[in-house]
């Protein structure tokens, strides 16, 4: 397998073509952004943590019946994945109130929900990823009814599996964002990443934040938080 030209450079990752048209290489950077790119910075070592942690989570989820884009970890920062056409929906699952949920509905952070919530945002940077519902997603032809139902089922399975897994590491999974894509043969698979950039993790005892909120909110200890969550995940293995 040969690495070819860069296809895309995003805020946190680069995507490269390979000599197989159905496979791409994702390369994780230390670049960090927040608030739709308004805040920019570097989190030293983040790319390594996010690459390796994502791959471990993808493999765990495959074991629980969730198909993913993961193929093979190539190095600290690079992974071979199935090339997909990303469904332009950010799928957000929440177990506890935080972030934009708290802001939007005027409630404190830390309220534990009886049932997880699933919500969608339209993945569109120019529009600032606006919240939308299933009717809107169908009207905009972002996905079919069947695909949306499947995405919702997978997202709830991901939540069940990861919530339980992180609890064994002394970590509460507060909320997270998923992206799904379609492979060349039309299969819907979990894509992108699962990392402290895309999840909120709180220490189960102290509620200390072990995720990107430390960067978003200028709390300090950002690198330490990424190191700590990574240490727990790798110690478990
Ligand atoms: P952004 O585009 O939001 O700046 P990233 O820096 O993470 O985000 O860039 C990675 C891009 O690659 C994202 O647009 C993501 O949707 C896309 N992507 C993730 N997994 C795959 C895949 N398996 N095939 C093709 N594209 C993917
Ligand atoms: N999230 C993400 N990318 C986004 C928006 C949200 O990875 O573009 C993740 C975020 O890390 C958190 C969850 O989705 O774990 C819910 O985020 P929220 O809607 O509360 O938005 P935020 O507070 O990050 O603006």
């Amino acid at each position: 397998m040969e690495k070819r030209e860069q296809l895309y450079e995003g805020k946190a990752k680069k995507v490269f073509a390979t000599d197989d048209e159905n496979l791409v290489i994702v390369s994780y950077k230390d670049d960090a952004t927040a608030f739709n790119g308004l805040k920019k910075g570097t989190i030293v070592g983040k790319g390594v943590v996010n690459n390796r942690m994502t791959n471990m989570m993808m493999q765990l989820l495959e074991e629980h019946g969730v198909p993913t884009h993961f193929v093979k970890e190539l190095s600290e920062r690079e992974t071979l994945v199935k090339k997909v056409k990303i469904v332009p929906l950010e799928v957000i699952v929440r177990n506890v109130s935080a972030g934009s949920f708290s802001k939007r509905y005027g409630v404190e952070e830390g309220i534990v929900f009886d049932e997880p919530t699933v919500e969608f945002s339209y993945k569109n940077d120019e529009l600032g990823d606006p919240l939308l519902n299933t009717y809107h997603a169908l009207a905009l032809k972002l996905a079919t009814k069947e695909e949306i139902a499947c995405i919702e089922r997978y997202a709830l399975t991901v939540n069940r599996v990861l919530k339980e897994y992180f609890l064994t590491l002394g970590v509460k999974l507060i909320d997270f964002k998923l992206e799904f894509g379609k492979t060349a043969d039309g299969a819907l698979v979990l894509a992108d990443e699962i990392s402290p950039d895309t999840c909120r993790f709180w220490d189960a005892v102290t509620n200390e934040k072990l995720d990107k909120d430390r960067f978003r909110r200028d709390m300090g200890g950002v690198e330490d938080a990424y190191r700590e969550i990574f240490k727990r995940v790798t110690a478990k293995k």
Side-chain angles (χ1 to χ4, degrees), residues 93-97 111-117 159-160 163 172-176:
V93 181
R94 302 177 190 271
N95 296 302
V96 177
S97 65
I111 302 164
V112 180
F113 303 150
D114 292 339
E115 298 285 336
T117 68
N159 185 51
R160 238 182 297 113
K163 196 180 150 188
K172 292 192 266 195
L173 178 60
I174 304 303
D175 58 30
F176 58 89

Side-chain angles (χ1 to χ4, degrees), residues 8 10-13 15 69 81-82 84 86 123 179 192:
Y8 177 78
K11 299 185 286 292
K13 302 190 285 300
V15 181
H69 71 168
V81 300
K82 290 174 192 159
V84 299
I86 293 285
K123 190 173 150 61
E179 292 182 23
D192 205 48

Side-chain angles (χ1 to χ4, degrees), residues 43-46 48-50 53 56-57 165-172 195-196 201-212 214 220-237:
I43 302 174
V44 177
K46 172 171 88 79
V48 175
V49 169
N50 288 7
M53 186 162 160
M56 292 172 69
M57 298 307 108
Y165 169 79
F166 280 103
L167 217 46
T168 68
L169 309 180
V171 173
K172 292 192 266 195
S195 72
F201 299 121
W202 294 2
D203 181 273
V205 176
T206 64
N207 280 336
E208 188 193 349
K209 295 186 199 307
L210 300 172
D211 57 57
K212 195 169 145 187
R214 302 197 78 88
V222 184
E223 276 91 359
D224 281 341
Y226 278 71
R227 263 199 296 276
E228 175 61 26
I229 193 87
F230 188 55
K231 196 180 86 187
R232 295 196 201 184
V233 167
T234 45
K236 168 95 178 171
K237 210 179 133 196

Side-chain angles (χ1 to χ4, degrees), residues 90 92 94 99-100 129 175-177 197-200 216:
E90 300 205 332
I92 294 170
R94 302 177 190 271
S100 71
D129 299 340
D175 58 30
F176 58 89
K177 182 267 297 177
D197 273 19
T198 62
C199 305
R200 285 194 170 93
R216 293 188 189 100

Side-chain angles (χ1 to χ4, degrees), residues 98-117:
S100 71
F101 182 96
S102 288
K103 199 166 171 206
R104 189 182 319 126
Y105 301 119
V107 296
E108 65 194 290
E109 295 199 310
I111 302 164
V112 180
F113 303 150
D114 292 339
E115 298 285 336
T117 68

